[in-house]
Amino acid sequence: MDPGPNEYGQEYAYERLFHFITLVLPGKKTEEGWEYYQVKLLDGMLPVQLREFILVNGKPYKDNGEYSIDETKEYQNARGKIFQYFVPRFPKMLELARKDAMKPRVWDWSRDLIHHPKFAKQVAAYRKNKSSKNVDAVYQAVR
């Protein structure tokens, strides 16, 4: 992965990708439908990265030796508040993310929309008169 002109040290791209693949995408298809990895948060586990929510002097917290705040009372209080907010909401957040990931996506406009037999009639009508009524018909068909 080429980071480009700026380093993406705070993006945690591989970590996020791994979590997305294991938590959000289905594991396999069964006769009953898609099967997901079963997730249960153990005591003390957080479904978020603390470094995204805790700031030290206005900058994202990172324990890289410059400073370590893990043992401070303020850090533990902030961690507790984040825990109380996210843990009860985690199953619903995960369910919404899984539903969103399974929505159909348009990757190739020509193949998936313009020349697709399901939408060809609406697209042809739009191309003929370019009216907002025809655009709405295309949007409705795609939905």
Side-chain angles (χ1 to χ4, degrees), residues 71-121:
E71 303 302 321
T72 64
K73 186 176 183 179
E74 293 83 5
Y75 176 85
Q76 295 303 326
N77 288 341
R79 186 183 189 285
K81 288 178 184 176
I82 293 169
F83 182 85
Q84 288 174 353
Y85 180 83
F86 279 105
V87 169
R89 290 170 173 81
F90 178 67
K92 184 68 174 171
M93 292 165 47
L94 187 58
E95 179 186 338
L96 291 172
R98 286 174 171 176
K99 283 182 182 176
D100 185 60
M102 294 304 287
K103 288 180 181 175
R105 304 283 196 245
V106 175
W107 300 110
D108 179 356
W109 283 97
S110 178
R111 180 196 68 218
D112 297 340
L113 182 68
I114 296 170
H115 296 104
H116 194 283
K118 220 181 222 184
F119 312 118
K121 193 182 283 185

Side-chain angles (χ1 to χ4, degrees), residues 1-39:
M1 188 164 123
D2 184 15
N6 301 320
E7 288 188 30
Y8 292 99
Q10 294 168 355
E11 283 296 318
Y12 315 107
Y14 295 113
E15 244 178 81
R16 289 174 187 246
L17 183 61
F18 178 75
H19 290 152
F20 180 79
I21 290 170
T22 56
L23 296 176
V24 177
L25 294 180
K28 64 180 177 179
K29 190 161 186 159
T30 63
E31 291 177 6
E32 293 84 35
W34 287 103
E35 185 178 282
Y36 290 94
Y37 292 102
Q38 299 304 303
V39 178

